[in-house]
Amino acid sequence: MVHRRSVVPALAVLMIGAGALSACSGSSAGSDSGNDGPVDLRMTVWTADESQLALFDEIAQGYVEENPDQVSSVTFEVVPFEDYTTSLTTQLAGGNTPDLAWIFESNAPEFVESGALADLTPTLEGTEGYEFDDIVPSALDLWSTDDGLYAYPFSNSPFAMFVNKDRIAESGQPAPAELFASGEWTYDAARDISAASAEELGGSGLVVRDFNYSVWENLATVWAGWGAAPWSEDGSTCTFTDPEMVEAMTWIHEATFTDGAIPGPGTSADFFAGDVTMTITQISRAASLDGSFEWNVLPLPAGPEGRQNVIGQAGIGVLENGANPEIAADFLAHFTNPENAEKLATYFPPPRESLLNAETLGEANPLLSEEQLQSVVVDGITDATTKPAHANFAKLQTTIRGELDALWQADADVESVLADVCTAAEPLLQD
């Protein structure tokens, strides 16, 4: 059975109105027990990748065949990545609640604390053969509260550095793999290689993918090397003005406007098109490589605080006020059981300890060698930190982005801009 909590109108800014969640509480919550026949389940996702969707359909079809009296179909509704959370909360506010939904790690605290999600613990722990104890406990931290688990972290994708070996060789720069082997793989080395190759060959040097001077939280993959964070561990105090963050953001600013290592605002640069020397992105992006150039993938470089592991997580939650929460939870147990988790590992590094080894992951990821999988994926998930997350993340993301606009100018005063960031963010951290 699915444990229920009363639905609280939280999700502050994500909501269309202050009572959006409670407004949808009149939908068919609890209707599992009154169903006269099999139901149609719906899960919102942000991937439009045909091979991934085909795998989802395959797994879902197996569940339908095993439970014909309970479920007639499972539909995976694709919502564009850029508008995903806004679209999902609009559905909640409008009473068009999906049965299950993918959730970004950055919004995890908002959803977990809101009461929008059903507690999955009884279902997952009680499903025969699920092997709940196989899940790495630290992977559940963002998705848990009060001994309840409110989403399953199906994807635990480490950030890594992809390098274009052809561009590096052609510009006469040292091979990052050799630097990594000798313990000299640092952000300063990556900056110097990137700047030199861009000057010699044109194109761009180092790109933090999906940052685009807008999604500032992706810079966590860089500032982690300085031991920096945007706010305190309890989420109550802004730390953009801490020395570690000032030093990290100064490094990013100089790498962009002084060294020419990072392309500036307005520059379109895609590593997978072949004209970028290196890019920081998640390991799952390896599927975009088409063989048009020689490449390698390495762990993130070390900063002054050494090499840090950073992952992006995504969870699957069952909506408390969906029409079929108990059946949806049962389907989720099927979707993420050991057998299907191994299939999903082709695209989404799983949180299951038994699957986190190079041999198993290698079968699902033929593009990557066992050495790459060990150093980047297996080791990269160990003791990793996630991208920034907060219970008021939506407002913080927008507000901080606006304040950081002043930083992306050649003559910006880094310390002054970061002080303005904290002035604007501090009240939101207290909400």
Side-chain angles (χ1 to χ4, degrees):
M1 296 292 289
V2 179
H3 281 184
R4 296 177 173 281
R5 296 179 294 163
S6 59
V7 178
V8 181
L11 292 184
V13 147
L14 293 178
M15 312 280 278
I16 302 306
L21 279 178
S22 52
C24 65
S25 62
S27 64
S28 49
S31 62
D32 297 82
S33 57
N35 286 323
D36 295 324
V39 303
D40 299 309
L41 295 178
R42 177 167 61 95
M43 181 195 296
T44 57
V45 301
W46 56 71
T47 180
D49 185 283
E50 292 184 3
S51 57
Q52 294 177 10
L53 293 172
L55 175 58
F56 299 165
D57 286 336
E58 174 191 324
I59 295 173
Q61 185 57 36
Y63 182 76
V64 172
E65 291 174 358
E66 292 175 10
N67 302 274
D69 296 331
Q70 183 166 278
V71 178
S72 54
S73 69
V74 180
T75 299
F76 298 96
E77 178 185 321
V78 178
V79 178
F81 181 88
E82 297 77 9
D83 306 315
Y84 182 82
T85 300
T86 300
S87 297
L88 175 58
T89 50
T90 298
Q91 290 191 22
L92 295 178
N96 183 30
T97 307
D99 297 290
L100 306 98
W102 285 10
I103 300 168
F104 291 117
E105 77 281 280
S106 53
N107 300 121
E110 292 170 285
F111 276 91
V112 169
E113 295 178 16
S114 72
L117 304 174
D119 181 6
L120 302 171
T121 309
T123 299
L124 300 187
E125 288 188 342
T127 298
E128 184 178 356
Y130 190 77
E131 299 179 17
F132 186 83
D133 291 344
D134 185 38
I135 300 173
V136 178
S138 62
L140 304 178
D141 288 347
L142 266 182
W143 313 95
S144 304
T145 187
D146 298 330
D147 298 321
L149 176 65
Y150 295 95
Y152 170 88
F154 74 97
S155 181
N156 302 262
S157 188
F159 284 89
M161 185 76 85
F162 284 83
V163 300
N164 185 320
K165 295 171 63 176
D166 290 348
R167 281 179 60 88
I168 290 171
E170 189 176 347
S171 58
Q173 296 303 303
E178 295 178 5
L179 295 177
F180 176 66
S182 64
E184 301 174 281
W185 179 228
T186 65
Y187 272 105
D188 285 350
R191 175 200 59 203
D192 293 346
I193 294 169
S194 296
S197 61
E199 182 177 6
E200 176 73 19
L201 306 174
S204 297
L206 168 60
V207 173
V208 179
R209 190 175 178 88
D210 297 324
F211 162 49
N212 295 327
Y213 295 90
S214 175
V215 187
W216 56 265
E217 59 269 26
N218 278 3
L219 293 178
T221 55
V222 179
W223 73 49
W226 276 255
W231 40 72
S232 58
E233 190 171 343
D234 65 2
S236 65
T237 304
C238 179
T239 54
F240 268 96
T241 52
D242 283 7
E244 297 85 357
M245 181 64 86
V246 172
E247 186 178 347
M249 295 298 264
T250 298
W251 185 93
I252 293 169
H253 187 270
E254 292 179 350
T256 304
F257 297 101
T258 303
D259 305 315
I262 299 174
T267 303
S268 179
D270 181 8
F271 175 84
F272 299 100
D275 61 350
V276 174
T277 304
M278 58 184 76
T279 190
I280 296 173
T281 190
Q282 286 171 291
I283 192 67
S284 55
R285 295 296 183 103
S288 300
L289 293 160
D290 61 6
S292 58
F293 58 87
E294 292 293 316
W295 59 275
N296 200 353
V297 61
L298 299 166
L300 293 176
E305 291 298 311
R307 187 173 68 82
Q308 308 298 318
N309 296 326
V310 181
I311 63 171
Q313 273 194 323
I316 303 175
V318 169
L319 277 301
E320 178 80 27
N321 285 320
N324 313 286
E326 294 179 6
I327 296 175
D330 190 63
F331 169 68
L332 179 56
H334 170 84
F335 193 76
T336 61
N337 66 25
E339 178 184 357
N340 290 324
E342 185 170 356
K343 295 178 181 178
L344 292 170
T346 301
Y347 308 104
F348 310 105
R352 290 184 173 274
E353 190 169 3
S354 62
L355 299 178
L356 288 176
N357 59 78
E359 182 178 358
T360 299
L361 293 173
E363 294 177 3
N365 297 273
L367 283 175
L368 302 177
S369 68
E370 287 196 8
E371 180 181 355
Q372 290 170 330
L373 287 165
Q374 181 66 44
S375 64
V376 176
V377 181
V378 179
D379 295 345
I381 291 175
T382 303
D383 298 324
T385 59
T386 59
K387 289 168 54 183
H390 195 276
N392 201 16
F393 185 80
K395 280 186 177 180
L396 285 163
Q397 206 283 339
T398 301
T399 299
I400 293 173
R401 180 181 63 209
E403 295 298 329
L404 284 177
D405 282 346
L407 186 61
W408 312 130
Q409 302 175 33
D411 60 351
D413 182 325
V414 176
E415 289 193 55
S416 176
V417 172
L418 296 183
D420 290 342
V421 168
C422 276
T423 298
E426 199 71 42
L428 300 177
L429 294 169
Q430 305 298 328
D431 280 359

